[in-house]
Amino acid sequence: MIDTQRLADWMDEQGLPGKGEPLEANFLSGGTQNEIYEIVRGDERCVIRIPPAAAPANRDEGIMREWRIIEALDGTDVPHTRAVAACSDKSVLGRSFYLMGFVDGWSPMEFKKWKEPFISDPEARRGLAFQLSEGIALLSKVDWRAKGLHDLGRPDGFHERQVERWTRFFDRIKGREIDGMAEATEWLQNHKPLDFIPGLMHGDYQFANVMFREGAPAQLAAIVDWEMGTVGDPKLDLAWMIQGWPEDTESPEAETSGYVDMRGMPSREEMVAHYADVSGRQVDDLDYYLVLAKWKLAIVLEQGFQRAGDDYKLQSFGTIVPTLMRSAADLAESTDYRS
């Protein structure tokens, strides 16, 4: 639990609203990397994001990195949480932290299903998907240089580093041979996107990391969880979003293809077309990004499997990883994409 008195004193020093009012902190969520509390003080309602005491030391840098992105999004069209204040002085609460506006909305991860009217109204549900696609398209249009994010990432050599970095990472955690790994890696080493326009990217963009406003029509309230945010290639976010999208969103399999019911959703082609319309980016080289996204996700999940222990969820990655990597290799081998 955070020290509410020390937080209140710091907020007073920053001249934030609610000075002198009692402060209430309500735990919302958290794990080994971050904890999130709702902060209520008088009429002010916001959220604090802070690493727990046992989190690795570099999470303090990560928190301030997230803050830079959230602060930079103010004044843009990207749905985001309002930037309130940040503190890198660990003497206040023991870790770096930031305050962001409270989002009056809901997350698909809350109950692992949609909320009404998106359960009973298929057309309204389609709007959730288009809003998801639009959010990441709007993010790709942010002028990251003008927002002072020129040093957030290293766009030069981004794609070469992706393959080199994650290949080295896999070699460090390797505990078994993964079918398709060699083929997909070699294909990525020999192909590049048709163009590369650097932009702000989320890094883990999916329904789990957005919030929607209540009621229809669907409206994206905020993109959240910026732990992987960087300046890189926004089209990798697009591929990450759709790499597991059902081939047929009208089939019974779409109900169980993810953590939410995907029946009645727009097709993958419709999602990509909406992204292209809003972002203004060409998507003719999408196969390259899909191979990269599947390959990278397989490696990320393999790390979880290798350290699973008695964790049933992580153990389940044991069968998911080979299927995903084989999918990346099959797409690489079958596509006529040339870069």
Side-chain angles (χ1 to χ4, degrees), residues 11 37-39 44-48 84 99-102:
M11 291 176 69
Y37 297 83
E38 175 191 13
I39 303 298
E44 179 71 5
R45 191 183 186 194
C46 61
V47 171
I48 185 172
V84 177
L99 301 177
M100 57 186 175
F102 186 88

Side-chain angles (χ1 to χ4, degrees), residues 30-42:
T32 59
Q33 298 294 309
N34 299 289
E35 292 180 343
I36 304 173
Y37 297 83
E38 175 191 13
I39 303 298
V40 180
R41 197 178 193 203

Side-chain angles (χ1 to χ4, degrees), residues 90-309:
K90 300 178 187 62
S91 69
V92 178
L93 294 179
R95 305 301 300 254
S96 298
F97 64 89
Y98 64 83
L99 301 177
M100 57 186 175
F102 186 88
V103 178
D104 187 10
W106 61 279
S107 164
M109 287 300 289
E110 284 184 82
F111 308 106
K112 303 296 178 69
K113 63 180 182 181
W114 309 121
K115 290 188 70 175
E116 287 290 5
F118 305 106
I119 297 175
S120 56
D121 186 343
E123 190 58 34
R125 188 187 303 179
R126 283 173 56 85
L128 295 172
F130 284 128
Q131 281 286 291
L132 182 72
S133 180
E134 188 162 315
I136 206 65
L138 292 171
L139 181 65
S140 75
K141 299 175 72 173
V142 171
D143 188 340
W144 51 277
R145 294 184 181 88
K147 288 291 185 176
L149 299 179
H150 54 280
D151 60 343
L152 189 72
R154 293 186 296 153
D156 291 345
F158 175 82
H159 287 279
E160 292 80 2
R161 283 198 311 278
Q162 285 287 297
V163 179
E164 292 170 4
R165 173 190 175 189
W166 289 101
T167 299
R168 290 197 304 269
F169 180 81
F170 178 78
D171 289 340
R172 289 200 303 271
I173 66 167
K174 185 176 179 179
R176 58 176 178 165
E177 296 295 331
I178 306 296
D179 180 37
M181 175 74 182
E183 297 94 320
T185 302
E186 182 180 6
W187 189 90
L188 287 168
Q189 290 170 335
N190 291 298
H191 292 79
K192 297 293 181 290
L194 294 178
D195 61 12
F196 172 34
I197 305 173
L200 192 57
M201 58 180 292
H202 182 274
D204 188 19
Y205 195 70
Q206 53 179 311
F207 274 122
N209 288 327
V210 299
M211 296 184 69
F212 293 96
R213 301 207 181 278
E214 299 286 349
Q219 184 179 1
L220 196 64
I223 301 173
V224 297
D225 292 347
W226 293 94
E227 291 179 45
M228 303 296 291
T230 191
V231 173
D233 193 330
K235 282 195 291 186
L236 182 53
D237 273 338
L238 169 65
W240 197 266
M241 177 184 72
I242 67 165
Q243 61 85 19
W245 207 263
E247 291 291 338
D248 180 3
T249 56
E250 300 300 328
S251 69
E253 288 75 18
E255 182 180 4
T256 57
S257 63
Y259 45 83
V260 285
D261 184 355
M262 297 292 285
R263 290 176 299 174
M265 284 298 185
S267 66
R268 177 183 292 182
E269 291 72 21
E270 289 176 299
M271 293 288 285
V272 172
H274 189 64
Y275 175 90
D277 288 343
V278 176
S279 69
R281 292 173 180 254
Q282 64 82 16
V283 291
D284 295 336
D285 51 2
L286 184 59
D287 278 355
Y288 167 83
Y289 291 93
L290 284 170
V291 173
L292 177 58
K294 290 173 179 287
W295 174 86
K296 181 177 176 178
L297 180 57
I299 295 173
V300 170
L301 296 182
E302 179 65 10
Q303 180 193 32
F305 173 67
Q306 291 297 333
R307 65 183 187 191

Side-chain angles (χ1 to χ4, degrees), residues 51-98:
N58 62 3
R59 273 308 298 146
D60 292 278
E61 296 177 7
I63 281 290
M64 298 312 296
R65 181 185 179 89
E66 292 178 33
W67 166 255
R68 289 185 63 194
I69 296 175
I70 291 172
E71 189 177 34
L73 291 178
D74 276 0
T76 72
D77 294 332
V78 180
H80 64 281
T81 54
R82 175 174 56 91
V84 177
C87 178
S88 59
D89 182 356
K90 300 178 187 62
S91 69
V92 178
L93 294 179
R95 305 301 300 254
S96 298
F97 64 89
Y98 64 83

